[in-house]
Amino acid sequence: MTGALRLVLGDQLSPSLSSLRDLDPATDVVLIVEVWDEATYVRHHPKKIAFLFSAMRHFADDLRAVGVVVDYVTLDDPGNTGDFAGELGRAVARHDVSRVVVTEPGEWRVRTMMDGWGHALALPVEIRDDDRFLCSRADFASWADGRKQLRMEWFYREMRQRTGLLMVDGEPAGGRWNYDQDNRKPPASGLDGPGPRRFAPDVLTEDVLDLVADRFADHFGELRPFWFAVTRTDALAALDHFVREALPSFGDYQDAMVDGDDWLFHSALSQYLNCGLLLPLEVCEAAERAWRDGRAPLNAVEGFVRQIIGWREYVRGVYWRAMPDYAAGNALGAERPLPPFYWTGETPMNCLAKVIDQTRREAHSHHIQRLMITGNFALLAGIRPAEVCDWYLAVYADAYEWVELPNTLGMALYGDGGLMASKPYAASGAYVDRMSNFCKSCRFDVKQKNGPDACPFNYLYWNFMLENQEALARNPRVQPILRTLAKMSDEKKAAVRHDSERFLATLSPAASHAA
Ligand code: FAD
Ligand code: DLZ
């Protein structure tokens, strides 16, 4: 009897994956492929490529250990065609299979590729739902249908009821759905988080690191030191470490930024969740247990659970509902090219330089750094959303378009005109100063509003409002800001424009090369 060829993609490394569910070890073959096109459709950070290749190889070994036949194609296989379709074609020729089974991919780009596979292979291709997510695409569509705005908070409350997480007798634990007002503390002096659990690379990972060093040396980012978990067992240990060491303070310092502490109390679990080594429900249940056992306070656990069953599920729903047009969104008509310093980190603005440096070293920065430093700058400076999105997709180990695009284009850049965010996340230097210690060692003065020594976020903020006042005029949440703008003197407006033009002129690639 002929079997099924079950293709598992690099971000589908879960034993419970829908495409593996009815696998018959006697007849079926699992195909896993390292392909050039996936590693370069954006120039991914070397740590991300090494992480996925090593996790894919370990996953293959784990399947083999339970008797599954795995056909694993390495990047340096001499016959490697470099893409999914080519590798499927070769595998169909190698094996006695009569159909292909795959779980739907995370990206629209790959989903459209899949449409052509059946014809090209002359075999039926079954595409199954990705039920590792807690809200299916169909369920999200039913929730969203007929709503003018897709506010996360309402979606989140339904997800709490549906999962039963942090629910007591049908009511939200503690009587409130959302404990954000207890969170968002500025960083206390000397604040120091435990950092994520780190793992020494094994022999298999070392092989991958050599391969990646050889083939992707020209990509942005440092490959070593490499400490990510690459197996489910180690990812579970990383989860356990987070719950014990960091979760209790997660809520309090969720929005804080500290120069010199890359992680604070964040989990650093997103890359494991997004490639399937961890599942969202088990992560939330581990956090909930810590609250029920008195090991972590409710504000921390609720805040953490909200990020996963709320934000994570919600952005995925928005992505699939709004694609493919969503990717071209540019509601504010931002047309400035991405400044070269996003790749070099060479900028006199300390906050940007530090976040980009961390990104280069770790392929990670935390949410507020992404939203309020690199994202806020791109918003205020009017950088083309497509270029900003490509940057975020390339530089973070957890980046896949389904999660990166809504966060960048929708949340950070307001490129979808407010589908996701009720107002642009624009902030001046005062926010950065309140929530971080970056300003203390910056060449610019955050207290100065104008002039060559003023923090550029200060005048760029008002310049953004001046440039976009018509586009934002009907947004009720921006009204108070626009009323302040209307009262601003002409001299002050002229100074804002002058400082902004002067500063923005230094960002062009030509100006950077000249410098
Ligand atoms: P924690 O702060 O510990 O949060 C716990 C978990 O909640 C995360 O692991 C993640 O799975 C989930 N989560 C938190 N916030 C979000 C969110 N806004 N959307 C989706 N899931 C969330 N996250 C990605 O996973 N991939 C991306 O490519 C990505 N791009 C982003 C781009 C921008 C401009 C912004 C503002 C945010 C982006 N995020 C992205 C969301 C968030 O920044 C990361 O999930 C988080 O920083 C990961 O670090 P952590 O695991 O320590 O998160
Ligand atoms: C991100 C990535 C990389 C770098 N390499 C591979 C690969 O070689 N093989 C593979 O199956 N998947 C890889 N991935 C993840 C895919 O890009 C991801 O599955 C799609 O973007 C769909 O989400």
Side-chain angles (χ1 to χ4, degrees):
M1 198 177 72
T2 57
L5 184 65
R6 297 173 186 265
L7 175 67
V8 173
L9 306 182
D11 55 355
Q12 298 183 339
L13 309 180
S14 316
S16 61
L17 192 72
S18 58
S19 62
L20 297 178
R21 211 151 282 162
D22 50 353
L23 181 145
D24 181 348
T27 56
D28 296 354
V29 176
V30 169
L31 177 67
I32 304 179
V33 295
E34 296 171 6
V35 284
W36 185 253
D37 278 10
E38 291 306 305
T40 56
Y41 73 94
V42 290
R43 291 158 61 85
H44 299 288
H45 196 297
K47 266 200 173 81
K48 175 181 182 182
I49 301 174
F51 164 60
L52 277 189
F53 284 7
S54 178
M56 287 158 65
R57 291 182 187 196
H58 280 95
F59 186 70
D61 284 350
D62 289 349
L63 288 178
R64 288 187 186 113
V66 293
V68 175
V69 177
V70 182
D71 183 354
Y72 192 100
V73 181
T74 57
L75 191 75
D76 50 10
D77 179 311
N80 193 325
T81 55
D83 62 37
F84 287 138
E87 287 314 293
L88 269 171
R90 289 203 314 143
V92 165
R94 276 196 297 271
H95 303 286
D96 184 19
V97 289
S98 56
R99 61 195 180 107
V100 171
V101 179
V102 64
T103 294
E104 63 181 341
E107 300 194 347
W108 182 273
R109 178 184 63 83
V110 181
R111 183 63 188 79
T112 55
M113 285 179 201
M114 286 184 180
D115 286 338
W117 290 353
H119 181 71
L121 299 169
L123 284 182
V125 175
E126 184 189 345
I127 303 173
R128 296 184 177 170
D129 285 356
D130 189 347
D131 55 16
R132 295 173 302 168
F133 289 91
L134 302 169
C135 180
S136 70
R137 286 167 53 184
D139 283 355
F140 188 87
S142 323
W143 173 80
D145 274 348
R147 288 174 195 256
K148 280 204 192 111
Q149 291 185 318
L150 304 181
R151 290 289 163 255
M152 199 291 293
E153 182 65 24
W154 307 118
F155 171 77
Y156 164 61
R157 292 180 187 187
E158 289 199 15
M159 291 301 288
R160 285 274 295 279
Q161 282 165 313
R162 186 197 288 209
T163 58
L165 284 162
L166 299 178
M167 299 297 290
V168 178
D169 298 332
E171 296 296 323
R176 272 157 54 196
W177 290 102
N178 182 317
Y179 287 81
D180 241 5
Q181 71 186 57
D182 301 348
N183 296 348
R184 301 179 173 157
K185 289 191 177 49
S189 137
L191 189 66
D192 191 15
R197 170 95 191 256
R198 289 160 194 265
F199 302 86
D202 62 6
V203 174
L204 192 157
T205 300
E206 287 293 351
D207 279 352
V208 169
L209 291 172
D210 289 345
L211 172 79
V212 172
D214 186 42
R215 303 294 294 278
F216 303 100
D218 57 345
H219 285 204
F220 165 91
E222 288 176 12
L223 179 59
R224 291 176 187 268
F226 184 90
W227 53 264
F228 292 168
V230 289
T231 62
R232 177 163 163 75
T233 305
D234 283 354
L236 285 167
L239 168 63
D240 183 57
H241 168 85
F242 164 70
V243 170
R244 275 188 292 106
E245 306 292 334
L247 178 62
S249 297
F250 174 86
D252 287 355
Y253 298 111
Q254 201 178 336
D255 286 9
M257 297 174 277
V258 171
D259 198 347
D261 186 332
D262 294 338
W263 309 96
L264 286 174
F265 299 92
H266 290 273
S267 68
L269 294 176
S270 50
Q271 67 269 31
Y272 308 139
L273 278 161
N274 293 353
C275 79
L277 291 182
L278 294 178
L279 298 174
L281 191 58
E282 71 188 348
V283 169
C284 292
E285 285 171 348
E288 187 190 42
R289 264 195 310 277
W291 168 66
R292 291 197 188 275
D293 297 350
R295 290 179 280 124
L298 186 55
N299 71 307
V301 175
E302 186 282 315
F304 181 73
V305 165
R306 175 158 27 91
Q307 305 313 308
I308 296 181
I309 66 167
W311 282 109
R312 186 171 185 272
E313 296 286 330
Y314 165 83
V315 297
R316 184 206 184 225
V318 168
Y319 175 80
W320 283 107
R321 192 172 159 78
M323 281 296 280
D325 297 345
Y326 196 75
N330 188 0
L332 300 178
E335 285 304 342
R336 193 177 304 283
L338 187 77
F341 75 71
Y342 273 76
W343 297 111
T344 64
E346 287 167 17
T347 161
M349 294 176 72
N350 187 44
C351 54
L352 282 166
K354 291 294 166 59
V355 172
I356 294 167
D357 176 60
Q358 179 186 340
T359 303
R360 189 176 49 74
R361 287 184 286 106
E362 299 287 13
H364 188 94
S365 64
H366 73 63
H367 185 68
I368 294 302
Q369 295 168 325
R370 296 188 206 194
L371 185 65
M372 301 310 291
I373 305 292
T374 40
N376 185 33
F377 186 87
L379 172 74
L380 298 188
I383 316 288
R384 240 175 250 142
E387 290 189 35
V388 183
C389 291
D390 277 356
W391 183 81
Y392 277 95
L393 193 55
V395 302
Y396 290 114
D398 58 20
Y400 301 87
E401 198 184 59
W402 66 266
V403 53
E404 174 277 325
L405 188 70
N407 270 299
T408 309
L409 188 129
M411 291 299 289
L413 303 180
Y414 204 70
D416 62 10
L419 180 71
M420 276 185 59
S422 56
K423 70 176 178 64
Y425 275 88
S428 69
Y431 175 88
V432 180
D433 193 31
R434 186 167 66 252
M435 296 311 297
S436 81
N437 60 356
F438 286 133
C439 305
K440 288 193 173 58
S441 41
C442 185
R443 164 249 176 280
F444 294 108
D445 181 354
V446 71
K447 303 284 184 235
Q448 289 191 39
K449 307 292 180 223
N450 283 102
D453 293 331
C455 169
F457 274 130
N458 288 342
Y459 45 78
L460 289 176
Y461 174 85
W462 285 113
N463 191 56
F464 171 81
M465 295 301 167
L466 281 166
E467 297 278 312
N468 294 294
Q469 52 189 322
E470 271 177 41
L472 300 174
R474 285 207 300 276
N475 183 316
R477 296 198 60 201
V478 187
Q479 295 302 319
I481 304 165
L482 294 183
R483 279 197 292 277
T484 307
L485 186 69
K487 287 187 217 141
M488 194 179 271
S489 69
D490 289 345
E491 290 76 21
K492 170 79 182 168
K493 284 181 186 161
V496 163
R497 287 193 196 282
H498 173 267
D499 285 341
S500 299
E501 276 167 27
R502 175 185 46 75
F503 182 80
L504 292 171
T506 67
L507 300 182
S508 72
S512 302
H513 285 308

